[in-house]
């Protein structure tokens, strides 16, 4: 049976960083990846394209519910290959419940659910958010929790966050990390193998969260764009994508989590310049928000 890992965690916690770490590590393993993005444009799959040629993108839905059939078919197709792989990693959408995904993996012949890993943003986990119930379900389903981005918080804040996580998942192992740096052998430790998933009450996130894809009509003024990002409503949790600026020779990668955001160079932009915004449905579909983005040159279809 092929050992399989489910990566979960709320929007922007660091799942894709961990997946890149797994796929590019010098461990000699051949790993197939299934990548789900809640939006219609799968930015996460694009961000691992340079480190993996064995990636299946599942997009525009939550794989714990509306795309669960696609996950089962994709896993079965990998099992049936003539040339097998050493492991499979499923990166779940940031708004999905991993217990549903684990249930799918545990019922398929030829698949062994090795671990459920929850990545938690240390800088966001102690602030009391509207999505705390979903994060709690993600954490409770995990047998390994990575308290990530500990470099952004004080030791006292990290200790408080770890205490909350241990209370939510007392049998899980909790590790503090920066950029999800963790030995790959720990993720495939059979001694930590999770118990059968409780699939009795799946969390259907599709009605709570929404996403929108914004496309450019012209190169963007960097200062105006920065002002727009600094004024995001509290219900916007994540923005990511590739943006072209008037003062830059090529597209830059935007990563926004809560109130924190960054722009970095991308040597090979694999997609059209577009931005995905994810958050509470009322916030994402707000006309004022769309107006702010339109003012800087980003428009919804």
């Amino acid at each position: 049976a092929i050992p399989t890992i489910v990566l979960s965690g709320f929007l922007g916690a660091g799942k894709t960083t961990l997946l890149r770490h797994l796929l590019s590590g010098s461990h000699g393993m051949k790993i197939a990846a299934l990548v789900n993005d809640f939006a219609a444009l799968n930015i996460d799959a694009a961000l691992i394209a340079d480190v993996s040629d064995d990636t299946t993108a599942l997009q525009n839905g939550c794989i714990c519910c509306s795309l669960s059939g696609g996950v089962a078919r994709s896993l079965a197709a990998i099992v049936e290959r003539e040339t097998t792989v050493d492991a499979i990693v499923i990166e779940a959408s940031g708004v999905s419940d991993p217990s549903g995904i684990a249930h799918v993996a545990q019922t398929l012949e030829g698949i062994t659910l090795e671990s459920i890993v929850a990545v938690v943003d240390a800088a966001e986990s102690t602030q009391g958010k509207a999505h705390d119930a979903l994060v709690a379900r993600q954490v409770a389903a995990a047998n390994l929790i990575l308290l990530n981005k500990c470099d952004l918080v004080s030791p006292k804040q990290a200790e408080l966050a770890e205490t909350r996580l241990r209370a939510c998942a007392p049998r899980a192992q909790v590790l503090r990390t920066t950029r999800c740096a963790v030995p790959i052998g720990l993720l495939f430790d059979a001694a930590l193998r999770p118990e059968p998933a409780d699939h009795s009450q799946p969390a259907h996130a599709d009605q709570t969260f929404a996403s929108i894809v914004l496309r450019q009509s012209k190169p963007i003024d960097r200062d105006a764009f920065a002002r727009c990002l600094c004024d995001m409503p509290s219900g916007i949790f994540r923005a990511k994508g590739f943006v072209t600026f008037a003062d830059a020779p090529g597209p830059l990668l935007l990563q926004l989590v809560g109130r924190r955001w960054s722009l970095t160079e991308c040597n090979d932009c694999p997609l059209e310049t577009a931005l995905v915004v994810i958050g509470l449905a009322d916030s994402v579909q707000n006309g004022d928000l769309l107006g702010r983005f339109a003012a800087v040159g980003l428009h919804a279809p």
Side-chain angles (χ1 to χ4, degrees):
I2 303 174
T4 300
I5 295 175
V6 176
L7 301 184
S8 70
F10 196 67
L11 302 161
K15 297 183 301 299
T16 303
T17 297
L18 176 57
L19 181 56
R20 285 182 60 88
H21 173 61
L22 289 174
L23 296 177
S24 61
S26 57
H27 43 64
M29 298 178 65
K30 184 177 181 181
I31 300 176
L34 301 183
V35 180
N36 174 226
D37 207 328
F38 186 65
L41 190 63
N42 200 321
I43 299 293
D44 287 351
L47 293 178
I48 66 167
D50 63 326
V51 294
S52 174
D53 57 1
D54 194 353
T55 301
T56 301
L58 301 165
Q59 62 197 44
N60 205 19
C62 170
I63 61 176
C64 68
C65 36
S66 60
L67 292 181
S68 59
V71 174
R73 288 190 295 272
S74 297
L75 290 174
I78 294 173
V79 171
E80 293 168 2
R81 291 178 184 175
E82 291 185 5
T83 304
T84 188
V85 296
D86 298 309
I88 301 171
V89 180
I90 306 172
E91 183 195 352
S93 155
V95 297
S96 62
D97 181 349
S99 63
I101 306 163
H103 176 76
V104 172
Q106 287 173 324
T107 57
L108 289 177
E109 186 176 351
I111 296 291
T112 297
L113 182 62
E114 195 76 5
S115 61
I116 304 173
V117 182
V119 184
V120 178
D121 185 336
E124 297 284 326
S125 64
T126 60
Q127 299 182 16
K129 302 287 185 176
H131 53 270
D132 275 356
L134 174 58
V135 174
R137 286 188 66 88
Q138 293 173 339
V139 168
N143 58 298
L144 176 62
I145 303 168
L146 302 185
L147 181 60
N148 194 37
K149 304 185 184 182
C150 284
D151 55 320
L152 301 180
V153 300
S154 68
K156 184 176 180 179
Q157 288 174 306
E159 183 177 353
L160 175 61
E162 184 173 335
T163 298
R164 291 183 60 186
L165 293 174
R166 292 189 184 280
C168 188
R171 288 180 290 181
Q173 184 173 5
V174 181
L175 295 179
R176 300 185 191 182
T177 63
T178 296
R179 296 192 61 78
C180 287
V182 62
I184 187 172
L186 184 62
L187 304 178
F188 289 96
D189 187 347
L192 299 175
R193 192 166 293 164
E195 298 176 358
D198 176 12
H199 194 55
S200 58
Q201 294 181 326
H204 291 268
D206 298 61
Q207 303 304 316
T208 304
F209 299 91
S211 66
I212 192 166
V213 177
L214 303 172
R215 290 183 167 82
Q216 284 189 242
S217 58
K218 59 182 180 181
I220 294 173
D221 179 82
R222 191 188 295 259
D223 291 338
F225 186 63
R227 289 192 295 270
C228 179
L229 294 180
C230 290
D231 196 27
M232 287 289 98
S234 60
I236 299 300
F237 304 129
R238 188 79 165 99
K240 54 189 174 181
F242 304 94
V243 185
T244 300
F245 294 97
D247 63 347
L252 298 180
L253 171 64
L254 169 74
Q255 296 273 19
L256 178 145
V257 180
R259 298 288 180 177
R260 308 190 312 274
W261 58 274
S262 65
L263 288 166
T264 56
E265 294 183 0
C266 49
N267 296 326
D268 183 18
C269 178
L271 292 175
E272 60 182 309
T273 50
L275 191 65
V276 170
V277 180
I278 306 174
L280 297 177
D282 291 344
S283 298
V284 171
Q285 296 162 0
N286 184 282
D288 180 58
L289 175 71
L290 299 180
R292 295 182 202 175
F293 278 116
V296 299
L298 286 162
H299 303 271

